[in-house]
Amino acid sequence: MGFSIFHNLHIKVSQNEVFDAVSQPKHLDNWWTLKSSGIPELHAEYNLNFTDDYNWFGIVSKVKRNESFHLKMTDADKDWNPTTFGFDLETKSDSTLVKFCHVNWQNDNHHFKHSSFCWAMLLNGLKNYLEKGIIIPFEDRN
């Protein structure tokens, strides 16, 4: 068994716009990473660079255009290595329901709890990026 992080939020843009924002490096760099690379295809490798000390890699473990995007971490922090995180999307009247999960944490430790908080802040940044065009400078992101 493991521990899991779940966050749901509504973003008032199309599923296509949310999918691109969570899977395209040019968008990831505007709300999450410092610089990233990868293509949203099954088994493709993503490089998620935050600093020289946090230069992580994952592979696409699930992808369905405009509906879901999940990455299984392959080379990251020891707490993140066994984990997979992802986004499942549904249209709801005037918005997209984003169902975020980060699963298979081995320990309910400080890093797990801090990551849950950081994801909540980052997902709020994603919402503001998509709805209002706000890009928080990388050094000011949690």
Side-chain angles (χ1 to χ4, degrees):
M1 189 176 162
F3 298 92
S4 300
I5 297 166
F6 296 101
H7 295 294
N8 287 1
L9 67 151
H10 288 270
I11 301 179
K12 292 184 178 181
V13 298
S14 70
Q15 276 185 234
N16 178 59
E17 290 171 281
V18 177
F19 182 85
D20 285 349
V22 301
S23 66
Q24 297 287 339
K26 69 181 180 181
H27 292 294
L28 290 171
D29 297 349
N30 286 333
W31 67 271
W32 187 34
T33 52
L34 177 61
K35 56 186 176 192
S36 61
S37 64
I39 54 172
E41 295 177 359
L42 194 61
H43 306 301
E45 183 176 67
Y46 270 69
N47 176 216
L48 307 168
N49 180 279
F50 304 96
T51 65
D52 289 343
D53 292 333
Y54 296 91
N55 188 31
W56 295 355
F57 293 86
I59 58 165
V60 178
S61 60
K62 179 180 178 186
V63 62
K64 186 169 183 185
R65 178 88 189 130
N66 299 334
E67 291 184 21
S68 61
F69 180 74
H70 293 246
L71 285 177
K72 164 77 175 89
M73 298 309 296
T74 57
D75 183 9
D77 172 278
K78 72 175 181 70
D79 286 331
W80 277 57
N81 269 336
T83 69
T84 298
F85 67 89
F87 306 83
D88 293 302
L89 312 175
E90 292 179 18
T91 296
K92 298 289 183 188
S93 62
D94 67 341
S95 66
T96 298
L97 173 62
V98 179
K99 297 187 285 185
F100 171 84
C101 65
H102 192 166
V103 301
N104 287 338
W105 285 77
Q106 301 303 297
N107 298 295
D108 180 16
N109 58 14
H110 171 77
H111 193 188
F112 168 79
K113 294 170 185 170
H114 181 72
S115 291
S116 179
F117 172 80
C118 288
W119 275 122
M121 298 297 290
L122 288 162
L123 292 168
N124 189 58
L126 169 66
K127 179 179 174 69
N128 286 326
Y129 169 62
L130 288 169
E131 291 182 351
K132 301 173 185 174
I134 297 170
I135 298 173
I136 298 168
F138 178 77
E139 57 276 3
D140 295 338
R141 298 177 201 158
N142 281 320

